[in-house]
């Protein structure tokens, strides 16, 4: 278990940011000491890094991250329930229908996350295309001027 200052160093965030993320429900410590100090496990650190990646790599807002974290938790609960009750069992009739419904629920839980990620990727690709076009114009103009300069100095 790690104290908040150790976690802050590991994930390169401030203690204040970690407390704010906890306040928003994005992450939470697994326990507290008798004195009330937050204590984090390796799994907690991984969750914090996951949230940080969503923020840094995807440019997701904290509200979007919160939605994704909540959907992720829901998915894990549903997956665990499915695995405990339906996986690797031969079912028929009503039990088979329940299994199909559970799989549909899992699909419905993951689909919004996928749409959010796909939307972010599409916006990033559009931004990249804009930069590529600008860079192409700059290189073209530089090459044109370089040729002109070299042609005039011969």
């Amino acid at each position: 278990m790690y104290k908040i200052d150790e976690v802050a160093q590991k994930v390169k965030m401030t203690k204040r940011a970690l407390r704010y993320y906890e306040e928003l429900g994005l992450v939470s410590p697994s326990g507290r000491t008798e004195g009330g100090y937050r204590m984090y496990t390796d799994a907690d650190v991984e969750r914090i890094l996951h949230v940080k990646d969503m923020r840094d790599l995807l440019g997701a807002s904290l509200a979007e991250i919160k939605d994704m974290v909540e959907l992720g938790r829901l998915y894990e609960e549903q997956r665990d329930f499915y695995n405990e009750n339906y996986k690797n069992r031969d079912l028929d009739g009503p039990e088979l229908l329940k299994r199909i419904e559970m799989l549909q629920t899992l699909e419905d839980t993951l689909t919004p996350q996928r749409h959010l990620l796909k939307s972010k990727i599409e916006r990033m690709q559009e931004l990249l295309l804009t930069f590529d076009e600008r860079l192409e114009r700059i290189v073209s103009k530089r090459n044109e001027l370089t040729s002109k300069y070299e042609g005039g100095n011969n």
Side-chain angles (χ1 to χ4, degrees):
M1 301 275 286
Y2 308 99
K3 292 181 180 177
I4 193 169
D5 45 340
E6 295 170 310
V7 173
Q9 285 180 334
K10 279 181 174 275
V11 299
K12 296 179 175 60
M13 290 175 67
T14 65
K15 294 187 291 185
R16 184 172 185 240
L18 290 171
R19 287 187 198 103
Y20 182 60
Y21 280 22
E22 181 183 350
E23 198 177 295
L24 293 176
L26 298 174
V27 296
S28 60
S30 286
R32 290 187 182 260
T33 65
E34 288 182 21
Y37 293 102
R38 293 165 175 82
M39 298 299 292
Y40 297 85
T41 63
D42 288 326
D44 296 332
V45 171
E46 286 301 314
R47 277 191 292 277
I48 293 165
L49 289 171
H50 180 68
V51 167
K52 187 177 177 200
D53 282 346
M54 285 190 282
R55 182 198 69 196
D56 296 345
L57 299 176
L58 295 177
S61 70
L62 294 180
E64 290 170 325
I65 293 170
K66 185 174 183 180
D67 289 345
M68 289 186 72
V69 166
E70 288 173 5
L71 286 170
R73 284 185 195 140
L74 179 60
Y75 168 78
E76 288 174 10
E77 289 172 11
Q78 292 169 345
R79 181 200 60 209
D80 292 345
F81 180 83
Y82 176 85
N83 288 338
E84 289 172 18
N85 293 285
Y86 301 115
K87 189 174 180 182
N88 299 323
R89 290 182 52 200
D90 289 329
L91 304 171
D92 58 4
E95 288 297 316
L96 182 58
L97 183 58
K98 284 181 185 177
R99 188 173 184 176
I100 292 167
E101 289 170 352
M102 190 69 209
L103 288 169
Q104 181 64 53
T105 301
L106 288 168
E107 181 182 338
D108 293 344
T109 301
L110 287 178
T111 299
Q113 290 180 325
R114 184 181 185 285
H115 287 309
L116 176 63
L117 292 172
K118 191 167 173 50
S119 170
K120 291 279 184 189
I121 290 169
E122 287 170 358
R123 290 191 338 238
M124 287 175 157
Q125 287 174 328
E126 290 170 7
L127 184 61
L128 181 60
L129 182 61
T130 300
F131 277 90
D132 287 345
E133 290 168 352
R134 289 177 184 168
L135 184 58
E136 188 177 314
R137 286 193 306 267
I138 290 168
V139 169
S140 176
K141 189 63 173 180
R142 181 182 47 83
N143 288 339
E144 176 188 324
L145 294 175
T146 300
S147 293
K148 184 177 180 180
Y149 176 77
E150 289 171 352
N153 286 332
N154 286 334

